[in-house]
């Protein structure tokens, strides 16, 4: 898959997640969070008002360390596809 196709699939997956109205499992959200941050090169630290949430987010980011932008996009898309079974 070329970069343009990957970017399109990534944006579609992000939109699908953002438009979904039910709650997602916490572990799923944490993986999405880490992949999204890596994919968009967002290096800002977690900014939740609750320190426990920041700790979980920081751990998710730590687990995604060393991942390239494209790898993160691919993992994000794959995770969304698996969740929605398509």
């Amino acid at each position: 898959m070329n970069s343009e196709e990957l970017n399109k699939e990534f944006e579609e997956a992000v939109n699908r997640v953002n438009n979904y109205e039910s709650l997602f499992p916490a572990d799923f959200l944490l993986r999405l969070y880490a992949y999204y941050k890596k994919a968009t090169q967002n290096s800002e630290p977690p900014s939740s008002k609750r320190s426990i949430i920041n700790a979980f987010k920081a751990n998710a980011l730590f687990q995604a360390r060393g991942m390239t932008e494209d790898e993160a996009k691919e993992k994000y898309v794959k995770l969304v596809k698996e969740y929605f079974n398509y």
Side-chain angles (χ1 to χ4, degrees), residues 1 24 33 35 37 57 63 66 82:
M1 166 179 335
F24 290 110
Y33 169 80
Y35 298 152
K37 294 272 280 189
K57 286 180 174 181
Q63 291 178 29
E82 287 173 357

Side-chain angles (χ1 to χ4, degrees), residues 58-69:
N59 183 52
L61 288 170
F62 180 76
Q63 291 178 29
R65 74 188 180 285
M67 193 178 294
T68 68
E69 203 177 315

Side-chain angles (χ1 to χ4, degrees), residues 9-41:
E9 277 200 47
F10 176 69
E11 289 303 320
E12 288 171 356
V14 169
N15 288 333
R16 179 124 196 223
V17 168
N18 288 338
N19 292 322
Y20 190 65
E21 297 195 10
S22 295
L23 296 176
F24 290 110
D27 64 323
F28 178 77
L29 285 174
L30 286 169
R31 286 183 285 160
L32 286 180
Y33 169 80
Y35 298 152
Y36 183 84
K37 294 272 280 189
K38 293 296 261 182
T40 60
Q41 296 183 338

